[in-house]
Amino acid sequence: NAGVTQTPKFRILKIGQSMTLQCAQDMNHNYMYWYRQDPGMGLKLIYYSVGAGITDKGEVPNGYNVSRSTTEDFPLRLELAAPSQTSVYFCASRLSGSRVGELFFGEGSRLTVL
Amino acid sequence: EDKVVQSPLSLVVHEGDTVTLNCSYEVTNFRSLLWYKQEKKAPTFLFMLTSSGIEKKSGRLSSILDKKELFSILNITATQTGDSAVYLCAVGAPYSGGGADGLTFGKGTHLIIQP
């Protein structure tokens, strides 16, 4: 059981570069989320999707974009990376009929912007 | 703005001790309170509480919610080194801007169990 798979696990970017964090789940979950976790802080929601073709902003969407062309994949795009985007990024998913918050998380992608 | 406050932020105890972690909240349209355990990588779901006074238990872990006083506690008895982790509390409140689940997370309690 792969669950939620995130790539890459680690990445260093220079200011102004762009990159895409990949997230894939094989559980046929329709809800998918991107969170960021800064040191000593709680998780903040960046974007979420309730199904293929449907995405919406979370609490901290600025500087990011997402797409959801399939049920399985939910990539997060960072345009013009800034030091403030240094964080650990978690992708999560759940089935729409499951309990609210009963999320399955990926192992995280640690991004450093220098 | 919705707020979730966890205390203490860090705690060091010895194996076998009992610990109590606290989570207080201020949210509109409260729906549920959730606890997660985060070891080195991904958070994993522990409990969801929606009703006051009903204890949820899983082995040595238990949790209870007080909706009148707006807090929850997570108890761990007979602690083991494998319980060392960050414990996250989150509150679900629809339409709070947190997405489909409307989750607001606390900063977490970093628990260290010494042998």
Side-chain angles (χ1 to χ4, degrees):
Chain A
N1 287 336
V4 179
T5 303
Q6 291 182 233
T7 56
K9 290 186 168 43
F10 303 93
R11 183 74 186 267
I12 298 174
L13 282 181
K14 293 183 179 177
I15 294 172
Q17 288 185 320
S18 300
M19 74 160 299
T20 299
L21 299 178
Q22 302 291 345
C23 175
Q25 52 88 13
D26 61 359
M27 298 173 284
N28 206 31
H29 287 177
N30 42 347
Y31 286 7
M32 294 188 74
Y33 310 81
W34 274 106
Y35 286 92
R36 60 176 286 173
Q37 186 178 36
D38 298 333
M41 302 296 288
L43 281 75
K44 301 280 188 186
L45 183 67
I46 306 171
Y47 271 95
Y48 69 99
S49 169
V50 298
I54 306 169
T55 63
D56 207 346
K57 295 178 181 178
E59 193 178 351
V60 290
N62 291 344
Y64 307 95
N65 276 301
V66 293
S67 60
R68 185 93 182 270
S69 56
T70 67
T71 300
E72 294 77 21
D73 300 300
F74 191 40
L76 177 72
R77 177 93 179 148
L78 281 74
E79 304 283 0
L80 298 174
S84 61
Q85 293 178 303
T86 294
S87 191
V88 180
Y89 292 83
F90 288 100
C91 180
S93 71
R94 74 172 179 92
L95 206 53
S96 62
S98 64
R99 290 178 290 181
V100 168
E102 191 171 1
L103 304 175
F104 289 80
F105 285 88
E107 294 195 339
S109 297
R110 184 177 294 275
L111 175 67
T112 302
V113 182
L114 300 174
Chain B
E1 183 179 327
D2 293 345
K3 190 188 300 184
V4 176
V5 178
Q6 292 187 245
S7 64
L9 292 181
S10 65
L11 183 60
V12 181
V13 300
H14 287 100
E15 212 168 11
D17 288 350
T18 293
V19 298
T20 298
L21 310 183
N22 303 292
C23 176
S24 63
Y25 61 91
E26 295 177 27
V27 300
T28 54
N29 298 321
F30 173 90
R31 179 161 61 186
S32 57
L33 186 141
L34 304 110
W35 286 96
Y36 300 85
K37 178 182 182 182
Q38 184 176 21
E39 295 177 85
K40 290 185 178 176
K41 296 179 178 176
T44 54
F45 174 84
L46 291 174
F47 298 113
M48 183 180 78
L49 303 121
T50 56
S51 302
S52 283
I54 297 174
E55 186 182 45
K56 293 277 183 118
K57 289 200 74 168
S58 176
R60 296 176 293 103
L61 277 67
S62 64
S63 183
I64 198 160
L65 173 66
D66 186 329
K67 290 170 72 174
K68 182 179 176 186
E69 300 297 329
L70 308 183
F71 77 92
S72 172
I73 60 172
L74 175 69
N75 278 322
I76 309 175
T77 59
T79 52
Q80 302 170 358
T81 54
D83 295 325
S84 295
V86 175
Y87 290 85
L88 297 171
C89 173
V91 173
Y95 315 118
S96 68
D101 288 11
L103 295 181
T104 300
F105 283 83
K107 294 181 180 181
T109 294
H110 188 190
L111 176 64
I112 297 172
I113 311 297
Q114 291 183 335

